[in-house]
Amino acid sequence: MKFIENIINRQPLLSSLALVTLCISLMASVKIADGLSPMMMEISITLMRFLISLALLAMLLKLGAGKEALITTPFKLWGKRWYLALLPISIIVLMNALGVEFASLDFSASKVTLWVFSNIGIGFVEEMMMRGAVFYILYKAWGSSKKGVYAAVLVQALIFGLAHYSNLRDMSFIDVTFMVVNATLIGIGFAGLMLVTRTIWLPVVLHSIFDMIARMNELLVPGFENAKSTPLEQQIISVIIVFLFVALPGLLYTRKAMSIRVWN
């Protein structure tokens, strides 16, 4: 563990990129397995997400970063009105619900169980990887100044966004590029939320709920197929909405957190 700590201290950015590449490669390795049904594929990927999440959590705790990575913050330190910080991002969650085909949803036990655990796995692994490990690494290296904190927030968000280019095998370049932009903006929002509430667990929960709503059709509607492409106008509107209700509040939360240094 001392070896890992030395590498992180010497090369924070490269360490972050290597960590994300390793995690994405492990998850992608499941997707290339042959002969798996769609349900078994989703189960296998979900198990891999949980394994990676637990490994990242164990690594951070082993490094003694439980407090600094905002993993072990007690509930009483989240802030008196921590729930208000959830409101802007929650609007996006509700907007996602407008596209759900509620009349066609299949609430069989197997499908609902997979839907719940699959999306908890996504929220857990992506937040533990990006707002947990990567932000901690960058903040530890750069966080002695306000510019450094902003840099850590923006760089981890950019890495998070660019990681979504791994979806190019399933989607067009333009669609994935808009996904990258939105993911980057969401990464800023969740980082700010984590800083102002002093805990990583609220982003984990909100991220999981976000994906549960976004993937209801995919996992609960029998025979559902995602649209091959989204109209450009909808993509642009989506970026504007995510900026206004996720990224902008995230930057304001970061500013507020720095003004009182709430995560120390």
Side-chain angles (χ1 to χ4, degrees):
M1 194 57 65
K2 193 68 176 178
F3 174 73
I4 294 176
E5 189 172 5
N6 288 336
I7 294 177
I8 288 173
N9 291 335
R10 292 176 183 176
Q11 298 290 343
L13 183 55
L14 288 178
S15 299
S16 299
L17 292 171
L19 179 66
V20 173
T21 300
L22 174 61
C23 292
I24 291 175
S25 298
L26 289 172
M27 288 184 279
S29 68
V30 178
K31 293 184 178 181
I32 62 176
D34 293 326
L36 294 179
S37 67
M39 178 171 282
M40 285 305 302
M41 177 68 73
E42 192 66 39
I43 291 172
S44 299
I45 294 174
T46 298
L47 289 174
M48 179 61 76
R49 287 171 183 146
F50 275 104
L51 288 173
I52 293 171
S53 302
L54 293 173
L56 291 169
L57 178 60
M59 180 191 76
L60 289 167
L61 293 176
K62 192 72 175 177
L63 289 170
K67 179 181 178 181
E68 204 169 1
L70 302 176
I71 295 170
T72 59
T73 309
F75 176 73
K76 64 182 180 180
L77 295 181
W78 290 12
K80 292 182 179 180
R81 295 183 176 86
W82 57 265
Y83 49 86
L84 294 178
L86 303 177
L87 293 180
I89 302 176
S90 297
I91 292 174
I92 303 297
V93 176
L94 294 175
M95 292 180 68
N96 276 338
L98 296 176
V100 176
E101 299 177 10
F102 288 101
S104 303
L105 297 178
D106 177 0
F107 288 107
S108 61
S110 59
K111 283 186 175 291
V112 170
T113 300
L114 181 59
W115 169 64
V116 171
F117 281 98
S118 175
N119 290 297
I120 290 175
I122 293 173
F124 193 12
V125 74
E126 292 188 355
E127 292 307 310
M128 197 56 61
M129 177 172 59
M130 300 308 310
R131 264 60 72 184
V134 172
F135 180 79
Y136 164 73
I137 291 170
L138 298 178
Y139 168 73
K140 188 177 180 183
W142 305 338
S144 59
S145 67
K146 289 185 177 181
K147 288 183 179 180
V149 175
Y150 275 120
V153 168
L154 295 176
V155 171
Q156 64 81 31
L158 182 59
I159 294 172
F160 178 57
L162 292 174
H164 285 73
Y165 272 121
S166 60
N167 292 295
L168 277 172
R169 58 178 290 176
D170 303 314
M171 300 170 63
S172 69
F173 178 79
I174 187 67
D175 283 341
V176 174
T177 297
F178 274 103
M179 179 184 288
V180 166
V181 174
N182 277 326
T184 301
L185 297 175
I186 289 170
I188 294 171
F190 280 135
L193 176 64
M194 179 183 71
L195 290 176
V196 81
T197 60
R198 317 170 195 181
T199 179
I200 193 174
W201 299 111
L202 282 176
V204 169
V205 171
L206 193 59
H207 194 147
S208 299
I209 295 173
F210 184 98
D211 284 323
M212 281 183 185
I213 302 301
R215 301 182 71 212
M216 284 189 85
N217 289 339
E218 177 187 347
L219 295 178
L220 295 179
V221 174
F224 179 81
E225 292 186 7
N226 286 308
K228 292 185 177 180
S229 184
T230 304
L232 182 61
E233 300 82 10
Q234 291 185 25
Q235 299 276 29
I236 294 173
I237 292 172
S238 174
V239 169
I240 294 172
I241 291 173
V242 172
F243 172 77
L244 291 175
F245 290 99
V246 183
L248 185 57
L251 291 172
L252 295 175
Y253 293 158
T254 300
R255 181 181 178 183
K256 180 179 179 180
M258 284 193 298
S259 68
I260 54 178
R261 211 67 169 182
V262 296
W263 63 94
N264 285 339

